[in-house]
Amino acid sequence: MTILERRIAEGVYPPGTKLPSEAQLKAEFGITRYTARAALSALQERGLVESRQGVGTVVLLPPPAPFFDVPQTITIHPGGLVRTGPHGDMDATQVEPPTITRIRLTEDTAKALKLTPYDAAFQVDRLLGCPDLNGKEMRAGHRLTLPFAMLADVLNLSIDPEDTPARIYTALHAAGQRLTWQETVTARNPSPDERATLGAPTGVPLLVATRTTMGTTGAPLLLEELRISAVARLAYGITPAHSDAPV
């Protein structure tokens, strides 16, 4: 922890106050202006301060500590019912009805689904509420991409795009697909629209979890993206893989 970070943490510089200028830091610590500028930039990258034109570098409110976990588990119950997430299905957490659009796959989504760019797909966007035990709510954005190739050519299934992922998993499982999943998590800064829609605090990044559902052959069937402020935590169980190969 740097001296400036410690002063912020101890309340020497409370939220809303202005930090010393580069010239003042240079005089106090005997450093160059370049070093002072780098120190202020590092604090800004960590979300502790922000630079305001005509004002200077201002201390921000500290982000709240993570107050709930968002389980990312998938469970296949006897009889083939597949349940996901903290409530088993998304119906209990949808803030508003889903928005369904017909799209053409971008290069990135086509690559993830091992299809051709501009192939047709349904894109289903949902706004979810993720409550904790104390009744607080953090909103999350969920996007499901269902390629037409999967719906018609691969499985010939009648799946309603409005179905939640758990219901789609259940339909695929009932059709004889042996499902596996791969999920990656990245972080990025939210756009202004995302910050407003999801209620993301200033200075806190978004967690972006991208999940690919694969069928019996290992081919991708559908793609999901969950976006939620990093004041939440994504919780995973870990299942060991077994191998007969010698170590």
Side-chain angles (χ1 to χ4, degrees):
M1 180 180 290
T2 66
I3 294 176
L4 291 178
E5 287 178 276
R6 186 176 296 109
R7 289 179 180 177
I8 291 173
E10 293 174 352
V12 177
Y13 302 131
T17 60
K18 187 174 72 170
L19 288 183
S21 66
E22 293 175 10
Q24 290 170 323
L25 292 174
K26 176 177 180 289
E28 179 180 357
F29 297 107
I31 57 179
T32 65
R33 291 192 71 134
Y34 174 83
T35 302
R37 188 178 303 116
L40 294 175
S41 296
L43 293 177
Q44 189 166 347
E45 288 175 0
R46 295 194 54 191
L48 298 176
V49 302
E50 70 177 7
S51 178
R52 297 179 184 173
Q53 188 172 3
V55 177
T57 303
V58 179
V59 178
L60 298 174
L61 284 169
F67 52 82
F68 65 91
D69 291 343
V70 180
Q72 294 291 88
T73 52
I74 299 174
T75 306
I76 301 179
H77 293 274
L81 179 64
V82 182
R83 310 300 296 272
T84 69
H87 298 280
D89 209 341
M90 276 190 201
D91 284 343
T93 61
Q94 285 189 165
V95 174
E96 57 190 32
T99 300
I100 303 172
T101 54
R102 296 187 179 213
I103 64 164
R104 296 290 178 177
L105 296 179
T106 65
E107 289 189 6
D108 288 341
T109 53
K111 182 178 179 180
L113 290 165
K114 297 184 179 179
L115 295 173
T116 304
Y118 306 110
D119 279 358
F122 284 116
Q123 182 173 283
V124 186
D125 287 296
R126 289 180 168 89
L127 183 62
L128 308 176
C130 303
D132 73 351
L133 296 177
N134 297 318
K136 297 178 181 178
E137 182 179 75
M138 174 60 65
R139 293 191 170 184
H142 181 274
R143 172 168 290 175
L144 171 68
T145 302
L146 284 168
F148 287 4
M150 187 278 285
L151 291 172
D153 301 336
V154 177
L155 300 173
N156 194 26
L157 290 177
S158 177
I159 292 177
D160 187 340
E162 288 195 27
D163 283 344
T164 60
R167 291 176 181 171
I168 295 174
Y169 298 162
T170 299
L172 294 172
H173 181 76
Q177 289 292 316
R178 188 175 61 192
L179 301 178
T180 56
W181 292 268
Q182 181 175 355
E183 186 155 315
T184 59
V185 180
T186 57
R188 61 172 173 81
N189 290 325
S191 68
D193 286 344
E194 287 175 323
R195 181 176 290 115
T197 301
L198 303 179
T202 301
V204 178
L206 283 184
L207 296 178
V208 182
T210 303
R211 174 182 294 175
T212 306
T213 301
M214 293 159 290
T216 303
T217 65
L221 301 178
L222 55 100
L223 189 67
E224 298 171 68
E225 180 184 88
L226 179 72
R227 289 165 287 121
I228 190 168
S229 172
V231 297
R233 299 178 297 189
L234 302 180
Y236 298 85
I238 298 176
T239 302
H242 297 279
S243 174
D244 295 328
V247 178

